[in-house]
Amino acid sequence: MAIFRLGHVEVRTPDLELCAAYYTEVLGLREVARDENHVYLKGWDEQDHHSLMLTGANRYGLEHVAFKTESINDLEDYETTLERYGCTVERIAAGTELGQGDAIRFDSPTGHTMEIYAQMEKVGNGLPLFNPPPMPMDLVGIAPPRLDHCLLTTENVPDAARFMSEVLGFRLTEQLVTNEGYQLIVFFERSRQPHDIAFTRGANGGLHHFAYWLDSWSEVGRAADILRMNGIDIDVGPTRHGITRGHTIYFFDPVGNRNEVFTGGYKTDTDWETITWTEDQLGKALFYYENRVIDSFVSIYT
Amino acid sequence: MAIFRLGHVEVRTPDLELCAAYYTEVLGLREVARDENHVYLKGWDEQDHHSLMLTGANRYGLEHVAFKTESINDLEDYETTLERYGCTVERIAAGTELGQGDAIRFDSPTGHTMEIYAQMEKVGNGLPLFNPPPMPMDLVGIAPPRLDHCLLTTENVPDAARFMSEVLGFRLTEQLVTNEGYQLIVFFERSRQPHDIAFTRGANGGLHHFAYWLDSWSEVGRAADILRMNGIDIDVGPTRHGITRGHTIYFFDPVGNRNEVFTGGYKTDTDWETITWTEDQLGKALFYYENRVIDSFVSIYT
Amino acid sequence: MAIFRLGHVEVRTPDLELCAAYYTEVLGLREVARDENHVYLKGWDEQDHHSLMLTGANRYGLEHVAFKTESINDLEDYETTLERYGCTVERIAAGTELGQGDAIRFDSPTGHTMEIYAQMEKVGNGLPLFNPPPMPMDLVGIAPPRLDHCLLTTENVPDAARFMSEVLGFRLTEQLVTNEGYQLIVFFERSRQPHDIAFTRGANGGLHHFAYWLDSWSEVGRAADILRMNGIDIDVGPTRHGITRGHTIYFFDPVGNRNEVFTGGYKTDTDWETITWTEDQLGKALFYYENRVIDSFVSIYT
Amino acid sequence: MAIFRLGHVEVRTPDLELCAAYYTEVLGLREVARDENHVYLKGWDEQDHHSLMLTGANRYGLEHVAFKTESINDLEDYETTLERYGCTVERIAAGTELGQGDAIRFDSPTGHTMEIYAQMEKVGNGLPLFNPPPMPMDLVGIAPPRLDHCLLTTENVPDAARFMSEVLGFRLTEQLVTNEGYQLIVFFERSRQPHDIAFTRGANGGLHHFAYWLDSWSEVGRAADILRMNGIDIDVGPTRHGITRGHTIYFFDPVGNRNEVFTGGYKTDTDWETITWTEDQLGKALFYYENRVIDSFVSIYT
């Protein structure tokens, strides 16, 4: 059993066309496929079919998150472990989600629908596997190479932490705790980066944001220009996180789902020791330069 | 069995004092410990006791490379696998190498002495585990956060490739091959980066270079300034590799061991598909901007 | 008559020692000299004796700003022109201000004490004039190379604009105006950069901030780290200005004088055409990423 | 008399179409106009009609360089001064060169045709003069904002230096001299940057290169990628100059005229003191990282 990446997120939108335009032209993802009610998108350097699925719906928010695991045989193991933990697990046939192989779907105790899959159609990154140049020449907008992580909300963060580590095998990289040691925000990884997924206190099933990776602070500055020249409001940034040490900008897609571009941070190997932040340092933990809590950031999620 | 990182390299030097000064003041590593004939060093963000061990000797070159594995129980499994492959494996008691736990040592078919260990004293990165700032304020010189990879030489590259993948479980990220498909350079990873270790054609047991990580192209430019202001000759760079897409500078320590600072490149997950370069593109594969083979780079190793 | 640079600013401080420590260790200026009640400082790449003069006083704020002109003969011409405009002009003997040659001092209609001088002792930038390296190796803190500009407050901005252009010969690079075309903020240059000095509405004689130059957006990010790791609050930034297009951080010295580090922007030649911003775009004009007025920024000055 | 900028260069090409494609699509200049035998181009942030004029001819090389001066009245003064120095000066009527006002043309003692003009049609930088965004959104290729400088060859460098300073009023920023103090390369400015024009030893009338400005080392790295992905050979770089401290890449247009992209360096005010390099440091003076003379760079010009 070895989940190795946050594979993709499925996000709802009441305006599929508008969001498709925004995600391709401003954020600069590649549109891979679409059907009547879905648009499938990916960062340019991703080989798999999609990392973002937009789904038409009458409200915004998260439909599901999906993790990719190493082997098709892992599915049965995860199924067993999940059921033993009390989750209801459902088998999803290959092709139910475009490009995706066999999968399992379950309701996480955090109130989110999650999937695990091992196979997805490889559509390539637009570069040859022989003597490739370092990047494509037809990039548009911010053009992040890949999905990085997401932050979800849940009523009981310690429960979420236990589930993520004991059931799904994630490693806790950082946490923010009350003076009594109660976990308020927890950060988990399976791909040797500061976080693949994180949970903060809020309604069960909520999405705070999902983030695409950028390669440098210079790219973060360029992203801010592109956002503002396209009339997209910036929620916070460019700034640095205390937690993860990464550089960041937060902003919203046209229907209100929060996006992030993220870079930097450390490499997390399996011998990583968890870093702990205390609640009185929440401002610094979130935004190292501002050193204060930003209201919209902690109050708005979808 | 899960090696997850190139743990450290041990390099010989006929002038231990001079090298200790260079590696701490110019490259900007932290000196952790020293005894009569060894100096132990680490990048500032490494938690483990050392990633570089300088050993006094009457010639330069590589003494051994060591991989860190997840569990102490892995050692026995690797021992079995290695002996089945025909390697002579030796147990090394904890503390034989300062700070290191139990380990196994073996002669690789590539002519290199290699070690695998699971435990090393944690000396920390100079930052607290509670509410840490993003970096220390007393960095000196280039100050890379961590060891990244090494490139070794061997007479039979395909044999090296087979050994690394079949015995040690590394994944082949890129390779450069002749028109007939014979492997000339091979790149392997276990830590989700473009390479942890690579092999190129040359004498068995040789060291081409070892590399420390930098965080950005801006840091690479700053490294070039620091090197030259300290009178260190640059072998190649700042430039970009075709292979790995990374940015780089090559240079030599005062006794002739080749160093690299490296940044960028892609993230390699376990579903990575190998990229292949053909020999006629060697120049571009090595140095994407120069687009040509640089004599010193392909002829000098230690 | 050719003023070519904002030469230096003199700023008051109720705590001279504390400010001297801050400006040398955090901002990273060089201390050149001090006497009982003054500390003289410069950016590392400035050749002249000082660009900042700290003066002990029982309150903070601006004591005077000084412009450097090309020739000692310009002083008499400026004297004539200023007196014709109604200013009281005083001759200041060489050495009255440490390192400075003959000068004239006058009260600007904006309520500020201003000086013009042509000669200042050259103390050098720490690099030889023969075969110099690109920078010194002993820089500390943010370490800006040079003073860039200052923003002063005045009750009557159009009057300030007329004075700066007609009497002192500055060129108007940008302006922010009401819907009726009344000037609220004006930006002037004599050194081919976006601004050497600017005026915004406020009390006569006030100082909004003075700014030191940095070489890049990467340096701006590094400055934010240094400020926060030293516990200095950031007022605004890192962000981009609409006006000047420059990148910026605002912050305060320990007694409350606002500092800025600034980079980027365009080159202004003498055929520059003034850019005009309208009051309804004030937020964007000031902070292009935030796209809104930041209260502390428009309400606090000294 | 106040030349304030290198206004434009006119360069010959045996293949006007090919060069027009290269300069617009790879270097990323804007094509402003063309007639049967000329293509007029500009950097995106230049307001004037053109900074580069491509002229069809049966060989490559420089046709003329032109300086912009502040006032139309300067032309007569320059005419007098030039004729007194022994130059033959010709009046060029407005419109002879597309977009250019009245001008004077003369043969410099360095063997180059030079022009001085005060007026050129303003075509704008693609941004409004009211509330402009920081940059256009339709940039292509490297997309430098403006022309920076050129390096010409001449048999007698000291004569060139005397002419540039005494007749045209340029300031000598740096020079490289033999052990006997004979000038081999000289750098001159009128626009407060490290150089607007420079001369090195070679045939009279020769062009070594002309350079466009980039905003940062990050942009220099991006330029290297764009050049190589378009199959353009890089002559030298990315690297840093000792002289000017600037960062640079040299490369050739499709017919053999050498181009440069350049950034960084210091600000030169009118109180600048000349920096002198000695011939034995030629390698470091030219290429600070390589620390050696690069044959193609010193042997090839047009």
Side-chain angles (χ1 to χ4, degrees), chain D residues 58-215:
Chain D
N58 54 15
R59 59 203 176 95
Y60 53 28
L62 182 72
E63 193 67 21
H64 85 280
V65 298
F67 306 108
K68 195 170 184 188
T69 191
E70 290 189 8
S71 160
I72 192 74
N73 300 321
D74 296 345
L75 298 187
E76 194 170 329
D77 295 336
Y78 279 116
E79 194 171 19
T80 306
T81 310
L82 284 161
E83 287 178 340
R84 196 177 302 142
Y85 198 82
C87 295
T88 305
V89 184
E90 184 189 356
R91 281 272 168 173
I92 305 288
T96 308
E97 186 177 321
L98 205 61
Q100 183 175 284
D102 288 328
I104 58 172
R105 168 176 289 229
F106 56 97
D107 288 319
S108 146
T110 61
H112 300 89
T113 302
M114 294 181 174
E115 289 184 9
I116 300 174
Y117 64 105
Q119 294 164 340
M120 182 172 271
E121 183 189 342
K122 294 219 181 244
V123 296
N125 66 354
L127 304 176
L129 286 171
F130 281 79
N131 305 325
M135 72 201 70
M137 288 212 279
D138 61 345
L139 298 177
V140 169
I142 296 173
R146 64 173 188 272
L147 182 65
D148 191 81
H149 69 270
C150 64
L151 172 60
L152 309 182
T153 64
T154 188
E155 289 169 10
N156 190 320
V157 173
D159 270 5
R162 196 155 40 247
F163 177 74
M164 291 307 291
S165 64
E166 294 178 9
V167 181
L168 298 186
F170 279 76
R171 286 178 288 264
L172 180 67
T173 55
E174 303 207 30
Q175 60 184 344
L176 186 135
V177 302
T178 64
N179 291 338
E180 294 75 33
Y182 182 86
Q183 291 172 315
L184 294 176
I185 324 182
V186 289
F187 300 82
F188 286 100
E189 69 83 23
R190 284 290 309 166
S191 66
R192 309 286 184 85
Q193 50 191 31
H195 52 348
D196 297 317
I197 189 166
F199 291 88
T200 187
R201 205 130 71 130
N204 270 352
L207 169 68
H208 187 276
H209 70 267
F210 60 98
Y212 275 82
W213 173 261
L214 292 182
D215 278 336

Side-chain angles (χ1 to χ4, degrees), chain C residues 2-5 44-45 47-48 68-70 122 125 127-135 145-147 171 174 177 190-193 196 215-216 218 240-242 245 265-267 269-278 280-281 284 288, chain D residues 2-5 44-45 47-48 68-70 122 125 127-135 145-147 171 174 177 190-193 196 215-216 218 240-242 245 265-267 269-278 280-281 284 288:
Chain C
I3 287 171
F4 62 88
R5 185 170 68 215
W44 72 261
D45 202 21
Q47 300 277 349
D48 277 5
K68 194 169 184 190
T69 191
E70 290 190 7
K122 293 220 181 243
N125 65 355
L127 303 177
L129 286 170
F130 280 78
N131 305 323
M135 71 201 71
R146 64 174 187 271
L147 181 65
R171 287 177 287 264
E174 303 208 29
V177 302
R190 284 291 308 166
S191 67
R192 309 285 184 86
Q193 49 190 33
D196 296 318
D215 278 337
S216 67
S218 294
R240 186 195 278 277
H241 293 298
R245 291 185 206 154
Y266 39 75
K267 177 159 165 269
D269 283 333
T270 58
D271 57 350
W272 179 260
E273 288 186 279
T274 301
I275 291 172
T276 300
W277 294 77
T278 52
D280 57 298
Q281 297 294 311
K284 180 181 288 185
Y288 193 73
Chain D
I3 286 171
F4 62 89
R5 184 171 68 216
W44 71 262
D45 202 22
Q47 301 277 349
D48 277 5
K68 195 170 184 188
T69 191
E70 290 189 8
K122 294 219 181 244
N125 66 354
L127 304 176
L129 286 171
F130 281 79
N131 305 325
M135 72 201 70
R146 64 173 188 272
L147 182 65
R171 286 178 288 264
E174 303 207 30
V177 302
R190 284 290 309 166
S191 66
R192 309 286 184 85
Q193 50 191 31
D196 297 317
D215 278 336
S216 68
S218 293
R240 186 195 278 276
H241 293 297
R245 292 185 207 155
Y266 39 74
K267 176 159 166 271
D269 284 333
T270 58
D271 57 351
W272 178 261
E273 288 186 278
T274 301
I275 292 172
T276 299
W277 294 77
T278 51
D280 57 298
Q281 298 294 312
K284 181 181 288 185
Y288 192 74

Side-chain angles (χ1 to χ4, degrees), chain A residues 43-96:
Chain A
W44 71 262
D45 202 22
E46 293 171 318
Q47 301 276 349
D48 276 5
H49 186 270
H50 60 273
S51 58
L52 176 63
M53 192 176 158
L54 299 176
T55 297
N58 56 13
R59 59 202 176 97
Y60 53 29
L62 182 72
E63 194 66 21
H64 85 280
V65 298
F67 306 108
K68 195 169 183 188
T69 192
E70 289 190 8
S71 159
I72 193 74
N73 301 321
D74 296 344
L75 297 186
E76 195 171 327
D77 295 335
Y78 279 116
E79 196 171 18
T80 306
T81 310
L82 284 160
E83 286 178 342
R84 194 177 305 142
Y85 198 81
C87 296
T88 305
V89 184
E90 183 189 357
R91 282 271 168 174
I92 305 288
T96 308

Side-chain angles (χ1 to χ4, degrees), chain A residues 271-283:
Chain A
D271 57 351
W272 179 261
E273 288 186 276
T274 302
I275 292 172
T276 299
W277 294 78
T278 51
E279 192 180 8
D280 58 299
Q281 298 294 312
L282 176 61

